[in-house]
Each structure stands twice: as C-alpha cells, then as structure tokens.
Amino acid sequence: MIQEYKYGMFKINGKNYYDDIKLFGSKVKMWECRNRQVTMNDIQELLDISPGLIIIGLGPAGLITVADDVKDLLRLRKIALKMEKSQTACELYNEALQSGKNVAAIIPARG
C-alpha cells in the first residue's frame, strides 16, 4: 500500500523510497525510467505475476510515455492498462489492492 507520494518520494508500508519504483505482488523494487519511456524491458518482471491490471505512472507532470509495443502486448494478453500522472497512479494502485485485484505498477517519482 502506498501511504504517501510527493515529488521524488514514496512511503510504502512505512518505508521511504526516493526513486522510481515497480510494485508487483508484495514486492517494491527500484526502477530507473530511461529516456522518459516505459519499454518492454521495464514491464517483463510485472508480467511474471500475471496481473489483471498494470498501472503506469506518467510522472508528476505526465511527461513519461509508454512504448506502443507495450500497449500492444498488454492488449493481446488481455491485461488492463491504466496510465495516469504519478499521484493518480498511486491512488489507482491502492484502490486496486484494496479491491483484491492482482495489480502491478510502474510509477516514476519524478519526470
């Protein structure tokens, strides 16, 4: 559960993270957004938990993009995709967790 998000920082389960993150299952992993784009390499780990929903944060200003091949793969696998600015992505992630969905997320702290 994401307890707090503000530019450059997440608080998750009582621990602070000062970087971009991936969330899948009960894991929180550091992630580095390269070239302001989410690529196939970025989502590979998320697919391992067979999520029904992947949430991608587009950064606080919405400047991150998602590669077309990522969107195409998720559509083919019938995995729902939501793309929102980081604050909204955090809220959507928490709502999905609370409703019992198998959800994964990539959320940049900045960008």
Side-chain angles (χ1 to χ4, degrees):
M1 182 93 163
I2 302 169
Q3 296 163 303
E4 180 181 1
Y5 165 74
K6 56 186 171 185
Y7 186 85
M9 191 275 295
F10 298 92
K11 185 174 185 176
I12 301 169
N13 299 325
K15 184 176 176 185
N16 291 339
Y17 296 87
Y18 296 96
D19 213 338
D20 306 332
I21 57 171
K22 287 183 181 182
L23 301 160
F24 48 107
S26 59
K27 296 180 184 177
V28 179
K29 187 171 182 179
M30 294 312 189
W31 167 67
E32 184 180 342
C33 182
R34 299 181 196 279
N35 302 318
R36 291 190 174 181
Q37 186 172 57
V38 176
T39 65
M40 292 293 279
N41 287 338
D42 297 321
I43 68 160
Q44 286 303 104
E45 287 178 300
L46 304 183
L47 297 174
D48 290 344
I49 67 161
S50 300
L53 169 62
I54 290 181
I55 297 169
I56 297 179
L58 303 176
L63 301 176
I64 306 299
T65 61
V66 179
D68 287 338
D69 60 344
V70 169
K71 295 175 192 175
D72 292 342
L73 176 68
L74 297 180
R75 194 172 20 256
L76 282 171
R77 292 195 180 184
K78 298 185 174 142
I79 298 171
L81 171 64
K82 292 190 179 181
M83 301 178 294
E84 296 287 344
K85 290 181 180 178
S86 292
Q87 180 65 49
T88 303
C90 290
E91 294 164 8
L92 290 172
Y93 181 79
N94 285 344
E95 288 170 12
L97 272 184
Q98 289 172 340
S99 68
K101 291 183 180 169
N102 187 14
V103 60
I106 292 179
I107 307 175
R110 301 171 193 81

